[in-house]
Amino acid sequence: QSVGSTVVSETGTTDVVSVVLNTQPTSDVSISLSGLDASEASVASTTITFTPTNWNVDQDVTVTGVADDVDDGDQSSTLTLSISGAAAYAALDDQSVTATTADDDTAGITLTGTSVTVSEAGTAGSVSVVLDSQPTADVTFTVSGSDAGEASVAPPTITFTPANWNVAQDVTIAGVDDVATDGPQASTVTLSPASSDGAYDPMADLVVDVTTTDDDTAGVTVSQSDGSTVVSETGTTDMVSVVLNTQPTSDVTNTVDLAGSDEASIDVTELTFTSTNWNVAQDVVVTGLDDSSDDGDQSSTLTF
């Protein structure tokens, strides 16, 4: 006779099924053991034999749990005991024992690195991702960045298969240069999983926080033709050029002042740069003014 069920686990725990005959056979009785799912449970021997001498001594069949890496829940299979030998026993129906293997795997995703700092100078960082259990189908992550003007990502997709599920894969995040003085900029990189494996398909997106440091410094460049600005009382002119060093986030107005001078004049009193024309130089024309005094060369200051 045999018990009806046994429970083991993927951690390798065992349970014992005891078998014994009810009556003394006239000859040997062999019982073959089969039917277990070999990926979930195993038995040490596939056959046990009773003789007319030991028929009433229990014989133990040890069932051992077999580990896998799949989050497949508790799995059951049937251990079948097929009887042969002495005629009275050979006529009996097969006996069966339900063997349940408790699962020890949990589907999940491990992300190493939840924040990355890169720079506009081109420095890069990376995060790695790996599955916690073996999937039953490919798991593909779509990788996307929220601001392509500040950070780029590669590759655009990564795929884990039932063969490489436990090998970490990297996502590289690189800073993207711009010409704006915008300070550190925050963005995100999102890894979105999809799979026909029901344990992995519903899993939430993974989000990495990205900071891109700025390498631009706001400034104004003023250039004098030939390195100096010289005009004369005869009415000659010279030019001073003005341009911004970096792209502004809004309009920048330069007030031009030659206050209090009776020696020269300027043609504009204000220069406006936008985020579009910031890198196009604008000129200020300085014109000499005549007077009747023998006062030598006179200097004045042009202020921006």
Side-chain angles (χ1 to χ4, degrees):
Q1 60 185 17
S2 62
V3 298
S5 63
T6 186
V7 177
V8 292
S9 77
E10 289 186 358
T11 60
T13 61
T14 62
D15 201 359
V16 174
V17 176
S18 294
V19 183
V20 68
L21 303 188
N22 292 344
T23 60
Q24 185 179 33
T26 57
S27 60
D28 289 357
V29 174
S30 293
I31 300 177
S32 62
L33 310 172
S34 63
L36 285 180
D37 182 346
S39 66
E40 296 290 342
S42 67
V43 289
S45 175
T46 58
T47 304
I48 56 176
T49 300
F50 290 94
T51 69
T53 302
N54 73 353
W55 65 272
N56 58 346
V57 178
D58 287 357
Q59 295 194 44
D60 292 338
V61 176
T62 300
V63 181
T64 303
V66 174
D68 61 31
D69 297 308
V70 181
D71 180 6
D72 53 1
D74 296 347
Q75 297 291 310
S76 295
S77 58
T78 300
L79 176 63
T80 300
L81 290 78
S82 301
I83 308 168
S84 62
Y89 278 94
L92 295 176
D93 293 335
D94 292 347
Q95 301 290 303
S96 63
V97 177
T98 300
T100 299
T101 304
D103 194 19
D104 68 347
D105 302 294
T106 302
I109 303 166
T110 296
L111 176 67
T112 303
T114 56
S115 63
V116 171
T117 298
V118 296
S119 78
E120 289 185 1
T123 60
S126 66
V127 296
S128 67
V129 62
V130 69
L131 304 187
D132 295 342
S133 68
Q134 184 179 36
T136 57
D138 289 357
V139 179
T140 298
F141 290 83
T142 300
V143 185
S144 60
S146 65
D147 189 346
E150 293 293 339
S152 65
V153 295
T157 61
I158 53 177
T159 298
F160 291 95
T161 70
N164 75 351
W165 65 274
N166 57 348
V167 179
Q169 299 189 47
D170 293 335
V171 174
T172 300
I173 304 168
V176 174
D177 195 21
D178 61 29
V179 290
T181 307
D182 51 5
Q185 294 294 304
S187 61
T188 57
V189 170
T190 302
L191 292 79
S192 303
S195 176
S196 59
D197 182 332
Y200 278 97
D201 186 62
M203 288 197 171
D205 292 349
L206 307 174
V207 179
V208 180
D209 294 320
V210 180
T211 300
T212 305
T213 60
D214 196 15
D215 67 350
D216 302 294
T217 303
V220 179
T221 297
V222 178
S223 302
Q224 297 170 280
S225 58
D226 299 325
S228 63
T229 302
V230 179
V231 294
S232 75
E233 290 186 355
T234 62
T236 62
T237 61
D238 203 351
M239 287 189 301
V240 178
S241 296
V242 182
V243 69
L244 302 189
N245 295 345
T246 60
Q247 185 179 34
T249 56
S250 59
D251 290 356
V252 175
T253 299
N254 285 268
T255 301
V256 187
D257 182 36
L258 191 62
S261 174
D262 56 2
E263 295 287 338
S265 67
I266 53 178
D267 65 335
V268 294
T269 58
E270 188 174 272
L271 302 174
T272 298
F273 293 91
T274 69
S275 57
T276 303
N277 74 352
W278 65 274
N279 58 347
V280 178
Q282 299 186 42
D283 295 330
V284 177
V285 178
V286 183
T287 303
L289 298 179
D290 193 21
D291 62 28
S292 56
S293 301
D294 181 9
D295 52 2
D297 295 344
Q298 295 292 311
S299 295
S300 53
T301 300
L302 184 62
T303 303
F304 297 90

